[in-house]
Amino acid sequence: MSSLEDRGEVGVPVATAPSSSSAGLGVGAAGAGLEAGPGMPGGQEEAGIRREGAGQEPDPDAPPKKRVRLLQEGEACKLEERLYAVLCCTVCLDLPKASVYQCTNGHLMCAGCFIHLLADARLKEEQATCPNCRCEISKSLCCRNLAVEKAVSELPFECNFCLKQFPRSVLERHQKEECQDRVTVCKYKRIGCPWKGPFHELTVHEAECCHPTKTGNELMGILDEMDQSHRKEMQLYSGIFSLLCFEKIGFTEVQFRPYRTDDFITRLYYETPRFTVLNQTWVLKARVNDSERNPNLSCKRTLSFQLILKSKINSALECSYLLLKGPYDDVKIKPVIYHYVFSNDANETDYMPLPIIDSIECNKLLAAKNINLRLFIFQIQK
């Protein structure tokens, strides 16, 4: 015991003396050996702990707590902003507002850009490809990503009116019903009040609106203009109802199939197989942007169609006809009635515009493998 005490007394000054560093190390090692036992595992563990605490480079296989700490230290923006960059469409670089499609390698595209890529490929007679990895895309190869759609619906988005942020899942209801800054119109708009303003000012405006105090003569001019626009809408429906009273009415489902012209620069056009309506044989043709040379370079796209009588007739055949969307399509078409007198010399109508609402609906038709519509023909009896 006395020898150990003597060593301890000697070890203290040796550890503090700068000239006796080697002796001090020897004493420390001996002390560690005495504490750890003959196998010396404790000394190895303490050395390993000291080495780990020395601050080495971050290990990619580190525990989750370390990764979270490093992420918090190095993040330069909010989590929402990083998610915007991850979940945005690879084409327009905006967050999808509706359906989200992905290629076979997982790159995301919003529904509008996906349909536009398919329509461009149809116009250029090419296979549509993903803009990131150039793999083939089509309606059969790509699928919707429901997880991304749900994640995007929960991300905060700025209201167009009050500039506050709400989850996308409730943003539409907020902008239509709840926002106090949403644009609204006066309840006296029906008698000509042109006021538009934020919803929180509506009550004050309606209390001061001068239109309820106008005389009958002043209101008559306003009501006449409203009647004219209403009369145009009713004229279409009354025309359809009158056509439904005809004796000979025929309709059929038609399928436009894509073809190419024989020109040096081929152009896309559509044509249906021959079909029979009212005991006559017919064909429908359609073209894009009135056979414009490069319709794929234009953002505005239209379709026009032509009705052709293939049968030989003994006398003139006067008909009214219109095209509507097919039973399984979601394209929006406004009904328009066209009129033509067919004969053996004049068996083709002029190209008439297909009354689709906008270019987005036109892209939906171009992106499809075939265009399916419903044709009505009314024979006018003299």
Side-chain angles (χ1 to χ4, degrees):
M1 292 294 294
S2 59
S3 60
L4 292 175
E5 291 175 357
D6 294 337
R7 289 178 186 176
E9 292 175 358
V10 173
V12 171
V14 168
T16 54
S19 60
S20 310
S21 58
S22 59
L25 289 173
V27 173
L34 289 172
E35 293 176 358
M40 297 182 66
Q44 294 177 358
E45 290 178 1
E46 289 180 4
I49 292 173
R50 285 195 297 270
R51 284 197 298 270
E52 289 178 1
Q56 294 180 352
E57 296 181 356
D59 186 4
D61 298 327
K65 186 178 294 185
K66 286 188 177 181
R67 284 201 294 266
V68 171
R69 183 167 61 251
L70 293 173
L71 194 66
Q72 291 175 352
E73 292 174 357
E75 68 178 357
C77 57
K78 295 182 180 179
L79 174 63
E80 290 86 354
E81 296 176 357
R82 297 200 306 274
L83 287 177
Y84 289 156
V86 172
L87 302 178
C88 69
C89 170
T90 58
V91 182
C92 64
L93 303 181
D94 194 9
L95 279 179
K97 297 181 180 179
S99 304
V100 180
Y101 293 87
Q102 67 175 20
C103 73
T104 53
N105 291 326
H107 297 119
L108 304 176
M109 292 165 281
C110 65
C113 292
F114 177 64
I115 294 298
H116 199 99
L117 288 173
L118 297 181
D120 281 352
R122 173 59 56 82
L123 292 173
K124 294 185 288 186
E125 200 179 9
E126 296 177 354
Q127 172 63 48
T129 58
C130 171
N132 271 24
C133 60
R134 297 303 175 188
C135 70
E136 293 185 0
I137 60 173
S138 66
K139 288 189 175 180
S140 59
L141 294 175
C142 296
C143 62
R144 288 177 59 183
N145 192 320
L146 299 181
V148 172
E149 292 179 13
K150 292 179 180 179
V152 170
S153 68
E154 295 301 325
L155 286 176
F157 198 73
E158 195 173 77
C159 173
N160 294 329
F161 306 113
C162 64
L163 304 183
K164 296 180 181 178
Q165 290 192 341
F166 298 89
R168 283 205 173 193
S169 56
V170 300
L171 180 63
E172 183 177 358
R173 180 168 59 88
H174 166 78
Q175 292 185 151
K176 287 184 177 180
E177 303 175 6
E178 300 173 355
C179 183
Q180 295 297 309
D181 292 331
R182 68 184 186 272
V183 177
T184 186
V185 296
C186 177
K187 68 179 180 180
Y188 300 114
K189 179 185 177 182
R190 296 175 60 85
I191 55 175
C193 180
W195 183 86
K196 286 184 180 181
F199 179 78
H200 65 267
E201 298 179 3
L202 178 62
T203 305
V204 176
H205 165 76
E206 290 179 349
E208 300 174 353
C209 185
C210 62
H211 281 75
T213 60
K214 287 189 175 182
T215 63
N217 290 331
E218 292 175 331
L219 295 176
M220 284 302 296
I222 300 172
L223 295 177
D224 286 340
E225 294 179 1
M226 297 176 63
D227 287 341
Q228 288 179 3
S229 61
H230 181 67
R231 198 176 295 116
K232 290 180 180 179
E233 296 178 0
M234 292 304 299
Q235 186 176 1
L236 171 64
Y237 293 106
S238 61
I240 293 177
F241 289 138
S242 63
L243 290 175
L244 292 175
C245 299
F246 283 14
E247 180 182 357
K248 293 186 177 182
I249 302 173
F251 74 93
T252 185
E253 314 298 331
V254 294
Q255 186 179 80
F256 290 86
R257 298 174 182 174
Y259 296 95
R260 289 280 167 177
T261 62
D262 296 331
D263 303 333
F264 178 73
I265 300 178
T266 61
R267 290 182 175 86
L268 173 69
Y269 74 95
Y270 288 85
E271 187 173 336
T272 65
R274 295 193 177 196
F275 57 90
T276 302
V277 176
L278 298 177
N279 298 322
Q280 306 293 338
T281 304
W282 310 82
V283 167
L284 276 168
K285 289 185 178 181
R287 61 189 185 186
V288 184
N289 286 13
D290 290 327
S291 294
E292 185 181 34
R293 184 171 183 177
N294 293 311
N296 57 294
L297 301 179
S298 174
C299 293
K300 185 178 181 181
R301 291 172 182 171
T302 60
L303 280 170
S304 54
F305 72 98
Q306 178 188 45
L307 181 61
I308 303 172
L309 176 64
K310 290 295 185 179
S311 301
K312 296 296 182 181
I313 53 178
N314 298 324
S315 59
L317 182 64
E318 187 175 358
C319 295
S320 294
Y321 61 97
L322 74 156
L323 276 174
L324 299 176
K325 74 180 188 71
Y328 305 110
D329 288 340
D330 60 348
V331 64
K332 299 176 182 178
I333 298 180
K334 295 180 179 179
V336 175
I337 302 171
Y338 299 104
H339 184 79
Y340 193 76
V341 179
F342 292 92
S343 64
N344 291 328
D345 297 329
N347 63 337
E348 298 181 357
T349 67
D350 296 331
Y351 274 92
M352 309 303 295
L354 185 66
I356 49 182
I357 295 179
D358 51 24
S359 298
I360 297 176
E361 299 298 320
C362 185
N363 281 333
K364 288 182 181 179
L365 293 176
L366 295 175
K369 185 177 181 180
N370 298 305
I371 300 176
N372 299 294
L373 300 175
R374 177 172 286 177
L375 172 69
F376 286 85
I377 300 179
F378 308 88
Q379 184 176 346
I380 300 174
Q381 300 286 342
K382 293 184 179 179

